[in-house]
């Protein structure tokens, strides 16, 4: 007869398998948007800004979901997710994502783009609840000392999903054919219906498994949440102003005219409103930084400068990570970049997201505490093997991967960067953000394969930024760590704001898709200065994060 310990371990292993499958689909659907965007642009006859509304709807849901949970917790002074329990929160999130998949199915059958945006918003809203609970739940599914390993496993599976997503979505949209953009309208959306029936079914099945597994830990805790009315005020005000900005932007699309002068004025108005939205976010956070530095009462976790600067860093990081690939499909259609059609860009989008997988797999090596010699060997082998995996899955899908062979040179540069970073979060973030900015500049000032590789390598240099920014931002927060983490999750909002901004610049004849990549340059520049500045801020608080964490 099995012992209770053995049963618990077996049950936890089964739950962990289900949980990492959910991690996979987070990455799978988010990365698949990179192929979905150029398809929808041609199918629904959208401009580049309108096509970026896919990312806007998807990542806005993360922000509003996290903000809603935070406001409820502030009003009732209770952590809602902890009170529901991590297990139940994941079930609720999965069911809501399934509801979003159902909306997608109805919208596809109705052939309506706004309906599809609502469906993606609902799917991502479920994701926001799932992700809020998933990491602490993974830590509960076994021994505490191996909790980090389980979370890292989830992150690695998520990255594999980002590499697979573009390929599967491309097959769903185009089948085995490589349709030209002129042929897209004749393809229809039938396979998208099949895809979301399958995905929705998996969400329901996973929810059922969690719900009926009675022996799994519920993850319920009664925890008080410190009141932070000033932080609530800033975030609510910022949200209201952003809604006003985007209402103004969308209103301009209701103006029907063919007059070139009027159209030019409308385009100028749109870009001004979009930059106003960016200024609102940056201005709100810096206003909070200044006010909290004078009097920290009522600000909660926001009284720490490293957190507010980190919120802007997460906003910038998510924005640049998403924006590079979301606009990549349009860039690759240009003659100087190969003149690819929407059905041919999947391997490039897959390699971009696969680049994040390469970096995250490599960055996870230290967790398993290998010897110094083995670690140095793995720092070379792991990224090379991961690169081979991305090429392999594309080859299986019968995609032409020959244009990507020499991308191994970029992977080699990342390997050197990992050695130079010495496992120190701030130092590694400085190096990777600098390389990200340089790669974008190379892409802007060149064309062809060199430029394509430079833009793709943005994925390599974004790969380790999330944990680095997160760790530096919550360092020294103490009892405010949980609240600070919630604030950082909200700033996934960057994925909703920065891609449409770059898309609108790309629509302007005076800028174009190629020069729109100055936006990622500025994003990487801020991340570079954040990495330098936050180390000084922490040192003033008596925290030398790099010396305490990193080093060979």
């Amino acid at each position: 007869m099995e012992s209770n310990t053995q049963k618990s371990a077996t049950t936890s292993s089964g739950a962990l398998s289900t949980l990492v499958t959910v991690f996979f689909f987070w990455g799978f659907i988010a990365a698949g948007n990179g192929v979905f965007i150029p398809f929808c642009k041609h199918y629904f006859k959208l401009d580049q800004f309108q096509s970026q509304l896919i990312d806007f709807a998807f990542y806005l849901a993360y922000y509003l979901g996290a903000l809603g949970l935070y406001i409820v917790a502030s009003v009732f002074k209770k952590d809602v997710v902890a009170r529901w329990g991590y297990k139940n929160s994941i079930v609720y999130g999965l069911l809501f994502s399934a509801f979003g998949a159902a909306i997608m199915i109805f919208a596809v059958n109705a052939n309506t783009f706004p309906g599809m945006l609502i469906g993606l918003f609902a799917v991502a809203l479920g994701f926001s609840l799932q992700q809020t609970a998933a990491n602490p739940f993974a830590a509960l599914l076994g021994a505490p000392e191996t909790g980090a390993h389980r979370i890292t496993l989830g992150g690695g599976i998520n990255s594999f999903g980002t590499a697979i997503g573009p390929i599967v979505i491309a097959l769903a949209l185009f089948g085995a054919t490589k349709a030209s953009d002129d042929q897209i309208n004749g393809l229809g959306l039938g396979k998208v219906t099949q895809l979301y029936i399958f995905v929705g079914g998996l969400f329901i099945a996973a929810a059922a498994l969690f719900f009926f597994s009675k022996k799994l830990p519920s993850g319920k805790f009664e925890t008080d949440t410190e009141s932070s009315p000033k932080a609530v005020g800033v975030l609510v005000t910022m949200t209201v102003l952003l809604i006003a900005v985007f209402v103004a932007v969308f209103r301009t699309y209701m103006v029907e005219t063919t007059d070139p002068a009027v159209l030019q004025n409308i385009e100028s108005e749109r870009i001004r409103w979009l930059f106003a939205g960016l200024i609102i976010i940056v201005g709100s956070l810096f206003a909070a930084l200044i006010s909290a530095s004078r009097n920290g009462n009522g600000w909660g976790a926001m009284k720490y400068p490293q957190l507010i600067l980190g919120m802007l860093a997460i906003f910038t990081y998510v924005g640049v990570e998403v924006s590079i690939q979301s606009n990549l499909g349009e860039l690759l259609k240009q003659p100087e970049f190969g003149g690819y059609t929407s059905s041919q860009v999947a391997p490039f989008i897959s390699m971009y997201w696969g680049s994040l997988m390469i970096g995250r797999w490599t960055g996870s090596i230290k967790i398993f505490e290998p010897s110094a010699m083995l670690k140095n060997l793995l720092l070379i082998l792991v990224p090379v093997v991961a690169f081979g995996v991305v090429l392999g899955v594309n080859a299986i899908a019968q995609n032409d991967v020959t244009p990507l062979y020499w991308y191994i040179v970029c992977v080699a540069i990342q390997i050197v960067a990992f050695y130079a970073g010495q496992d120190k979060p701030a130092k590694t973030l400085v190096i990777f953000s600098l390389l990200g900015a340089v790669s974008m500049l190379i892409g802007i000032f060149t064309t062809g394969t060199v430029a394509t590789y430079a833009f793709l390598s943005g994925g390599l240099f974004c790969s380790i930024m999330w944990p680095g920014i997160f760790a530096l931002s919550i360092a020294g927060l103490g009892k405010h760590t949980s609240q600070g983490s919630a604030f950082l999750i909200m700033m996934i909002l960057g994925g909703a704001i920065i891609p449409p901004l770059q898309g609108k610049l790309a629509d302007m004849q005076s800028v174009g898709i190629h020069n729109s990549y100055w936006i990622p340059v500025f994003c990487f520049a801020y991340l570079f200065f954040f990495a330098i500045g936050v180390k000084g801020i922490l040192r003033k608080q008596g925290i030398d994060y790099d010396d305490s964490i990193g080093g060979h």
Side-chain angles (χ1 to χ4, degrees):
M1 180 179 290
E2 283 186 314
S3 67
N4 290 335
T5 302
Q6 288 173 320
K7 288 181 180 179
S8 176
T10 301
T11 304
S12 297
S13 298
L16 183 61
S17 299
T18 303
L19 186 60
V20 297
T21 302
V22 175
F23 272 82
F24 173 88
F25 278 99
W26 295 341
F28 172 87
I29 292 176
N33 287 345
V35 175
F36 205 48
I37 285 170
F39 174 88
C40 286
K41 178 177 180 179
H42 286 275
Y43 189 87
F44 292 104
K45 296 180 173 58
L46 311 173
D47 63 23
Q48 188 63 12
F49 167 77
Q50 290 170 314
S51 71
Q52 298 301 306
L53 293 179
I54 289 174
D55 279 335
F56 174 77
F58 194 82
Y59 291 99
L60 180 65
Y62 277 92
Y63 171 70
L64 293 179
L67 178 62
L69 288 172
Y70 166 65
I71 290 175
V72 171
S74 297
V75 171
F76 294 100
K77 296 183 179 181
K78 295 290 183 181
D79 186 329
V80 180
V81 173
R83 193 167 189 177
W84 286 345
Y86 297 136
K87 172 184 169 182
N88 285 339
S89 296
I90 291 175
V91 171
Y92 301 153
L94 285 165
L95 291 176
F96 205 91
S97 291
F99 173 67
I103 295 175
M104 276 291 291
I105 292 167
F106 284 113
V108 167
N109 289 330
N111 209 43
T112 167
F113 182 63
M116 293 167 71
L117 294 180
I118 294 172
L120 283 172
F121 178 87
V123 169
L125 201 59
F127 283 0
S128 70
L129 179 54
Q130 294 168 43
Q131 292 201 25
T132 301
N135 287 344
F137 189 72
L140 287 176
L141 299 179
E145 60 270 20
T146 58
H149 295 240
R150 292 188 290 277
I151 295 171
T152 300
L153 173 63
I157 297 298
N158 175 270
S159 295
F160 183 62
T162 63
I164 296 293
I167 300 170
V168 176
I169 297 295
L171 288 173
L173 294 174
F174 309 111
T177 64
K178 300 301 178 186
S180 68
D181 289 335
D182 291 337
Q183 297 172 320
I184 284 179
N185 284 343
L187 293 175
L189 297 172
K191 290 188 177 180
V192 179
T193 300
Q194 297 173 16
L195 174 67
Y196 274 91
I197 288 174
F198 176 69
V199 169
L202 285 178
F203 287 148
I204 293 172
L209 180 58
F210 273 96
F211 181 77
F212 290 110
S213 296
K214 300 298 184 182
K215 294 184 179 181
L216 291 177
S218 67
K220 288 185 178 181
F221 301 95
E222 287 291 337
T223 57
D224 294 332
T225 300
E226 181 179 340
S227 177
S228 49
K230 293 180 181 178
V232 172
V234 165
L235 291 170
V236 171
T237 301
M238 183 179 78
T239 303
V240 171
L241 291 174
L242 284 175
I243 290 172
V245 163
F246 277 95
V247 166
V249 171
F250 296 145
R251 186 184 298 142
T252 64
Y253 281 92
M254 299 175 66
V255 178
E256 297 183 4
T257 180
T258 56
D259 186 333
V262 175
L263 287 173
Q264 185 174 358
N265 289 335
I266 290 174
E267 288 298 324
S268 298
E269 181 182 352
R270 289 169 184 165
I271 200 68
R272 285 196 297 269
W273 278 115
L274 287 169
F275 271 109
L278 185 62
I279 291 169
I280 286 169
I281 295 168
V282 176
S284 298
L285 291 176
F286 274 103
L289 178 66
I290 294 170
S291 180
S293 67
R294 294 172 180 166
N295 183 359
N297 292 333
W299 284 102
M302 275 195 187
K303 67 184 176 183
Y304 294 92
Q306 65 266 34
L307 176 70
I308 294 181
L309 294 176
M311 289 170 68
L312 185 54
I314 288 290
F315 173 87
T316 305
Y317 151 71
V318 175
V320 71
E321 176 189 275
V322 175
S323 195
I324 291 172
Q325 66 88 33
S326 292
N327 289 281
L328 191 61
E330 182 64 21
L331 183 76
L332 293 172
K333 293 177 185 177
Q334 309 308 307
E336 61 270 29
F337 285 88
Y340 295 96
T341 66
S342 299
S343 62
Q344 294 172 325
V345 301
F348 295 95
I349 303 297
S350 173
M351 181 56 73
Y352 175 81
W353 288 111
S355 295
L356 277 93
M357 182 185 80
I358 292 168
R360 288 168 183 170
W361 284 13
T362 307
S364 300
I365 291 172
K366 187 182 178 182
I367 294 175
F368 300 98
E369 300 180 353
S371 64
M373 182 179 296
L374 179 59
K375 177 186 172 185
N376 289 333
L377 179 62
L378 290 175
L379 279 175
I380 297 173
L381 289 179
V382 169
V384 171
V385 170
F387 175 66
V389 169
V390 179
L391 289 181
V393 294
N394 275 281
I396 292 171
Q398 298 183 336
N399 289 324
D400 181 13
V401 295
T402 53
L404 296 170
Y405 286 152
W406 285 103
Y407 187 66
I408 188 67
V409 174
C410 299
V411 176
I413 293 172
Q414 188 198 51
I415 292 172
V416 174
F418 268 112
Y419 275 105
Q422 298 178 305
D423 293 322
K424 298 180 178 181
K427 185 176 182 179
T428 300
L429 189 57
V430 166
I431 293 170
F432 276 62
S433 56
L434 180 60
L435 287 172
V438 169
S439 68
M440 294 300 105
L441 288 170
I442 291 173
I444 289 170
F445 289 109
T446 60
T447 57
T449 301
V450 172
T452 301
Y453 282 7
F455 290 132
L456 288 177
S457 67
L460 292 171
F461 305 127
C462 281
S463 61
I464 52 77
M465 287 188 174
W466 176 276
I469 295 170
F470 215 96
L472 292 167
S473 300
I474 63 174
L477 265 60
K479 67 179 183 179
H480 295 96
T481 299
S482 179
Q483 189 182 85
S485 298
F487 287 148
L488 292 172
I489 293 294
M490 289 179 202
M491 289 298 104
I492 290 177
L493 175 68
I497 303 298
I498 293 177
L501 179 59
Q502 184 178 347
K504 180 44 61 184
L505 285 175
D507 283 332
M508 297 178 65
Q509 291 185 358
S510 59
V511 180
I513 186 65
H514 193 181
N515 285 321
S516 73
Y517 274 83
W518 278 102
I519 292 291
V521 174
F522 295 132
C523 290
F524 280 121
Y526 172 74
L527 293 169
F528 174 78
F529 289 113
F530 165 77
I532 293 174
V534 75
K535 187 174 182 180
I537 290 171
L538 292 176
R539 188 178 289 118
K540 289 180 181 178
Q541 297 175 9
I543 304 169
D544 197 331
Y545 204 83
D546 274 358
D547 284 352
S548 62
I549 299 296
H552 287 305

